[in-house]
């Protein structure tokens, strides 16, 4: 006898699994403007590369004769596949089966997906939709008992943050453990209008006395602006595109170095307009993003966290094909002052760069920490000190270009001081422990009071100090390693990126990445 009967049963069960939550639930998913889990996997993975693991897992009921009467597939799908030819682990929550709730899940599947990424050193993609946590109160009644909360496998998720790239795409309502899985990632986003994220959803919150819609409680705009996720996008297609671009800058794991992708952009390319990019009037603001885009390889700028921590712009880019992390002061947001959120954003980017061996390029125009009551309410000094700690703990090569201001404790974050200095300044550089202009009257009070013409005297003092603050005076004492014409910046940084490859070392860092 052969095994035709069993093979026929296999095909029947596979077909049932691929129905997911059934035609009605799939239609409801489509009507809400969201793809289903299997369609998402097909959209993300290179054609023909996805191999599902645990396809037949789910919940079956049997008739008295032992034949299967009904089957509900588990609502978490995963497997191995490829993205742009790179092996990855792809996971997707199936919202059509009990809204992604845990009482229709098999938690071991989620754990095995994390383990596969960890042990086989592959990037992990989480496409998240639903609660994914403890299920509903009805689950407890069915169990007949309650339990002390724990998350089996959380330690693997923590370890993966230090070992492999993790990307989380929130593609619908995300709550509870699903929200936790979202933020335990190196890059995360929500889709505008269709994705929301909460610790607990509107029904639970309403029971506590706060009535909110899903958008009011945890819409994409809320979390893109508070930093709980890195970005928000307009569609699932845009989410998948940003996933691919993010991964393109990183190695598959920390045991490898990022791959060079050589383009056609001349490393010696000059943009003459950069020479006038910084205004002579130090009170005038200017946009930083065009400067970044002019310096890095054309088309390579990938900004991360555009809507939060606005005092800096952060992202990934290439210099002569080499992947780098970029931190750039943003004078258009409070003049580039560091708020608590700005410091947190810097810390996050520095940790990402250090974990995955990306040299850091820092474009500096930093007048210091925000001062005043808001700064104290937000514990700015705490978060600023954490950012400084991250900068001093970083092991990857670091290059700083001081565009204009570098003042005070925050200004000292322009680079780690205990390393070889790849540091250069534009002629517009202006630095010190505090701005000279702000302390003249106090510092020269007696001299001004004794003068017959305090106004003229103050003008004379200001002229003398303007000569002292010249960046060329600093360069004379080797206080800055180079002063360059702004149009030369790209060539200098491309040379840095090439030289940095000699100092990069694959392997895991001594400490884990902070989510």
């Amino acid at each position: 006898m052969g095994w035709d009967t069993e093979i026929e049963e296999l095909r029947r069960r596979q077909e049932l699994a691929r129905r997911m939550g059934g035609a009605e639930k799939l239609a409801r998913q489509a009507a809400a403007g969201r793809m289903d889990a299997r369609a998402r996997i097909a959209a993300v993975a290179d054609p023909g590369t996805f191999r599902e693991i645990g396809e037949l897992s789910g919940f079956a009921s049997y008739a008295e004769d032992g034949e299967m009467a009904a089957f509900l597939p588990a609502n978490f799908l995963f497997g191995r596949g490829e993205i742009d030819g790179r092996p990855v682990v792809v996971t997707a929550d199936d919202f059509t089966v009990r809204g992604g709730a845990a009482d229709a899940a098999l938690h071991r599947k989620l754990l095995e997906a994390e383990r596969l990424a960890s042990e086989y050193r592959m990037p992990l993609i989480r496409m998240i939709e639903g609660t994914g946590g403890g299920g509903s109160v009805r689950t407890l009644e069915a169990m007949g008992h309650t339990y002390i909360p724990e998350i089996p496998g959380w330690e693997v998720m923590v370890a993966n943050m230090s070992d492999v790239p993790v990307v989380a795409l929130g593609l619908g309502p995300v709550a509870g453990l699903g929200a936790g899985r979202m933020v335990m990632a190196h890059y995360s986003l929500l889709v505008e209008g269709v994705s929301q994220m909460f610790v607990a959803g509107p029904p639970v919150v309403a029971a506590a006395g706060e009535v909110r819609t899903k958008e009011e409680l945890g819409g994409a705009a809320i979390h893109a602006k508070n930093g709980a996720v890195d970005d928000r996008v307009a569609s699932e297609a845009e989410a998948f595109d940003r996933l691919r671009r993010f991964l393109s800058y990183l190695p598959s794991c920390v045991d490898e170095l990022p791959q060079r992708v050589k383009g056609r952009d001349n490393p010696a390319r000059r943009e003459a307009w950069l020479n006038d990019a910084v205004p002579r009037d130090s009170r005038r603001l200017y946009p930083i993003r065009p400067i970044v885009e002019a310096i890095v390889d054309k088309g390579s700028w990938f900004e991360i966290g555009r809507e939060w921590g606005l005092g800096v712009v952060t992202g990934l880019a290439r210099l002569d094909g080499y992947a780098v992390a970029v931190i750039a002061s943003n004078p258009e947001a409070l003049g580039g002052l560091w708020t608590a959120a700005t410091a947190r954003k810097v810390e996050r980017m520095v940790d990402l760069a250090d974990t995955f061996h990306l040299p850091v390029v820092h474009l500096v125009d930093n007048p210091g920490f925000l001062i005043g009551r808001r700064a104290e309410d937000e514990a700015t000094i705490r978060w600023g000190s954490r950012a400084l700690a991250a900068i001093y703990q970083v092991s990857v090569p670091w290059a700083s270009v001081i565009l204009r201001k570098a003042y005070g404790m925050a200004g000292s974050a322009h680079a780690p001081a205990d390393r070889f200095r790849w540091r250069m300044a534009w002629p517009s550089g202006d630095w010190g422990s505090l701005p000279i202009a702000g302390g003249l009257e106090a510092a020269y009070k007696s001299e001004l009071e004794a003068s017959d013409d305090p106004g003229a005297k103050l003008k004379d003092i200001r002229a003398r100090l303007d000569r002292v603050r010249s960046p060329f005076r600093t360069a004379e004492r080797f206080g800055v390693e180079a002063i360059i014409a702004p149009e030369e910046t790209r060539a200098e940084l491309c040379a840095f990126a090439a030289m940095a490859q000699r100092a990069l070392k694959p392997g895991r860092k001594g400490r884990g990445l902070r989510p």
Side-chain angles (χ1 to χ4, degrees):
M1 291 180 61
W3 296 92
D4 292 348
T5 301
E6 287 77 9
I7 292 173
E8 182 180 344
E9 177 68 7
L10 168 63
R11 300 302 179 220
R12 182 170 79 97
R13 288 175 178 255
Q14 287 175 325
E15 199 277 329
L16 289 172
R18 290 165 187 167
R19 292 180 184 178
M20 296 179 279
E24 182 181 342
K25 296 289 182 66
L26 288 169
R28 191 181 303 172
Q29 181 83 353
R34 305 195 300 268
M35 299 172 70
D36 65 70
R38 292 191 179 277
R40 287 168 177 160
I41 292 171
V44 165
D46 294 348
T49 65
F50 181 70
R51 297 293 180 269
E52 187 172 352
I53 299 173
E55 178 185 19
L56 302 184
S57 60
F59 303 86
S61 59
Y62 290 87
E64 290 185 1
D65 61 1
E67 292 297 316
M68 186 173 67
F71 178 74
L72 182 71
N75 57 15
F76 177 81
L77 310 178
F78 86 101
R80 68 187 189 277
E82 294 181 5
I83 293 180
D84 295 333
R86 176 198 303 216
V88 296
V89 177
V90 182
T91 77
D93 297 342
D94 184 359
F95 194 76
T96 69
V97 178
R98 292 279 296 122
D103 53 6
L106 294 169
H107 188 79
R108 185 165 163 260
K109 289 188 74 176
L110 188 153
L111 175 56
E112 290 301 296
E114 299 282 337
R115 284 175 172 164
L116 176 61
S118 174
E119 294 178 23
Y120 286 81
R121 319 306 273 172
M122 292 187 284
L124 175 65
I125 314 305
R126 302 188 190 120
M127 291 185 280
I128 304 175
E129 183 179 12
T131 61
S136 67
V137 175
R138 293 176 63 91
T139 306
L140 300 178
E141 183 179 15
M143 290 170 56
H145 64 90
T146 59
Y147 54 88
I148 299 173
E150 62 180 27
I151 307 176
W154 187 263
E155 71 282 359
V156 186
M157 295 175 65
V158 172
N160 277 341
M161 291 290 289
S162 299
D163 290 331
V164 297
V166 180
V167 178
L169 309 180
L171 303 177
V174 177
L177 178 59
R181 292 168 59 216
M182 277 289 300
V183 300
M184 287 290 289
H186 300 106
Y187 181 67
S188 60
L189 57 78
L190 294 170
V191 180
E192 182 70 30
V194 299
S195 302
Q196 304 84 27
M197 185 173 78
F198 344 90
V199 174
V204 179
V205 171
E210 183 178 351
V211 178
R212 300 277 188 180
T213 66
K214 289 189 293 186
E215 281 293 314
E216 290 171 341
L217 183 61
I222 293 171
H223 292 303
K225 290 176 181 177
N226 67 24
V229 299
D230 295 298
D231 286 313
R232 59 172 164 156
V233 296
S235 66
E236 292 192 49
E238 186 179 352
F240 302 152
D241 178 66
R242 291 190 70 83
L243 154 67
R244 293 185 187 95
R245 288 200 64 196
F246 177 77
L247 287 182
S248 72
Y249 295 95
L250 303 184
S252 292
C253 68
V254 297
D255 299 318
E256 303 171 4
L257 296 180
Q259 294 294 306
R260 184 185 188 190
V261 178
K262 192 73 170 71
R264 296 181 179 180
D265 197 357
N266 183 357
R269 172 174 54 81
R270 295 190 176 202
E271 301 284 353
W273 69 266
L274 289 174
N275 292 336
D276 301 314
V278 175
R280 277 195 169 272
D281 184 350
S282 63
R283 294 169 298 181
R284 282 185 57 199
L285 308 181
Y286 60 92
I288 191 62
R289 290 178 179 88
I291 294 176
V292 174
E293 292 174 353
I295 291 170
V296 303
D297 293 357
K298 290 180 179 179
S300 73
W301 172 235
F302 181 80
E303 186 170 353
I304 297 174
R306 186 183 182 95
E307 297 186 63
W308 75 287
L310 302 182
V312 293
V313 168
T314 60
L316 306 176
R318 293 190 181 275
L319 288 166
D320 197 19
Y322 295 109
V324 296
V326 177
I327 301 168
S329 299
N330 181 16
E332 292 186 309
L334 296 174
L337 287 165
W338 275 25
T339 63
T342 299
R344 286 167 41 219
K345 185 173 175 179
V346 169
E347 178 187 351
R348 180 165 170 79
M349 179 53 62
V350 169
D351 281 353
L352 176 69
D354 200 35
T355 298
F356 293 109
H357 321 305
L358 297 167
V360 176
V361 171
H362 191 185
L363 306 182
V364 183
D365 187 352
N366 186 345
F369 288 130
L370 179 71
I371 60 174
R373 179 57 187 267
R374 174 186 164 186
E376 309 310 330
D377 283 343
E378 294 178 353
T380 301
I381 193 63
R382 164 73 67 185
W383 296 105
S385 295
R386 279 181 62 97
L388 273 165
I391 289 168
Y392 274 76
Q393 289 173 337
V394 76
S395 62
V396 294
W398 185 293
S400 299
V401 182
I402 303 176
L403 310 186
R404 187 161 64 178
K405 298 175 183 176
Y407 278 105
M409 186 174 173
S412 73
H414 71 273
D418 59 342
R419 308 267 299 281
F420 177 80
R421 303 293 188 89
W422 281 89
R423 199 169 54 166
M424 58 203 83
W426 287 6
S428 47
D430 179 20
W431 41 67
S433 57
L434 75 168
I436 289 176
L440 290 183
E441 287 85 349
Y444 292 89
K445 180 179 179 182
S446 59
E447 193 173 336
L448 291 170
E449 289 176 346
S451 173
D452 295 333
D453 188 347
K457 187 66 175 179
L458 181 62
K459 185 177 180 181
D460 178 63
I461 292 170
R462 182 174 286 114
R464 296 198 323 255
L465 289 175
D466 278 345
R467 290 191 290 271
V468 171
R469 69 195 282 200
S470 164
F472 298 105
R473 295 282 189 99
T474 306
E476 288 172 8
R477 303 302 298 267
F478 199 50
V480 64
E481 289 67 35
I483 298 176
I484 62 172
E487 66 180 344
E488 299 168 352
T489 306
R490 171 170 166 77
E492 294 289 342
L493 289 178
C494 284
F496 158 74
M499 188 66 71
Q501 306 308 305
R502 301 180 65 86
L504 294 175
K505 299 177 182 178
R508 195 182 197 193
K509 304 300 178 181
R511 53 166 179 77
L513 188 143
R514 296 168 282 248

